[in-house]
Amino acid sequence: MTFETTKKLANGSVIPRLGLGVWKVEDGTEAVDSVKWALESGYRLIDTAAAYKNEAGVGKGIRESGVPREEIFVTTKLWNADQGYESTLKAFDESLKRLDLDYVDLYLIHWPVEGKYKDSWRAMEEIYRSGRAKAIGVSNFHEHHLEELLKDATVSPAVDQIEIHPTLTQEPLRRFLADHSIAAEAWSPLGQGKILENPVLVEIGKKYDKTAAQVIIRWHLQNDIIVIPKSVHKDRIKQNFDVFDFELTEDELEQINQLNTNERLGPDPDNFDF
Ligand code: A2P
């Protein structure tokens, strides 16, 4: 079985399909260690955000890992309070400084703040042209936000990072993204760990001697979704990357699709108050 472990984005950047997410990982030792363990285990994608307040630890982990910078794909995100043209430029500089990096591989607008995200996008385009973000994209954008953005965009978003897991499969939005060559990336891909005892997932896992977490990660990969599970435990970080030696059948993928209840764990991007 061959499986491409990377995906080419619309702008030509190459992103690993599986990475480490660090939402709720504490800055300092926890972030440094998680990032180092991930890089040691073979991960080459680390996904942080200004809002996670751990960019400094992430940057430190990257440097201490000894893995060459150019082999690692680093994503960070613009926080809502910093949206707007000038403030986006400034916030990006501050993120780079905290990460202590010269560039990021992907910079995302974290949430579609009404009345501001288009101005923010103009700044993102400028950052992209400067080469300090190798790719730019968005997060938590619904179809209508993207349609609005695309009216005036000169650079199309390479990625939309959205909440996706077996209980929120987002099939219509994923189809829209595919039709527009925007890669889908999942946040809370394991349903924040709340669905790991689901009997369907556990049962499928038994067949391959895999955990429910590994089954879910494989479901994302086989659906062409970039996936960034979070863990601060070395054994789980390793386990979550050990998913390239088995393949779910069409029937198993469909059984997992059937777990969809359209229930969000996070806010609806049309109704958030932060
Ligand atoms: P921890 O960080 O303590 O390992 P998501 O990526 O959907 O947000 O899920 C993250 C949650 O799932 C965290 O609470 C994390 O806990 C837990 N988790 C991550 N990987 C595993 C795993 N392989 N087995 C069990 N729990 C996991």
Side-chain angles (χ1 to χ4, degrees), residues 178-221:
D179 287 347
H180 290 77
S181 302
I182 301 170
E185 185 173 31
W187 63 258
S188 289
L190 304 176
Q192 296 171 7
K194 291 174 184 144
I195 50 174
L196 298 179
E197 272 153 38
N198 181 289
V200 172
L201 300 169
V202 171
E203 208 45 48
I204 294 173
K206 277 188 194 157
K207 176 174 156 193
Y208 301 103
D209 200 18
K210 295 287 178 186
T211 64
Q214 290 170 314
V215 169
I216 298 173
I217 293 167
R218 193 68 213 185
W219 171 83
H220 284 282
L221 293 173

Side-chain angles (χ1 to χ4, degrees), residues 21 23-25 30 164-165 186-194 196 211-214 217 228-237 239-240 265:
W23 181 41
K24 292 192 175 160
V25 176
E30 194 170 71
I164 311 176
H165 40 75
W187 63 258
S188 289
L190 304 176
Q192 296 171 7
K194 291 174 184 144
L196 298 179
T211 64
Q214 290 170 314
I217 293 167
I228 45 170
K230 172 262 179 186
S231 179
V232 293
H233 295 100
K234 189 175 186 176
D235 55 335
R236 289 179 178 171
I237 289 173
Q239 179 198 119
N240 293 346
L265 297 169

Side-chain angles (χ1 to χ4, degrees), residues 122-133:
R122 280 194 298 119
M124 305 282 287
E125 292 178 332
E126 187 170 320
I127 293 164
Y128 174 66
R129 284 194 201 95
S130 79
R132 292 177 309 145

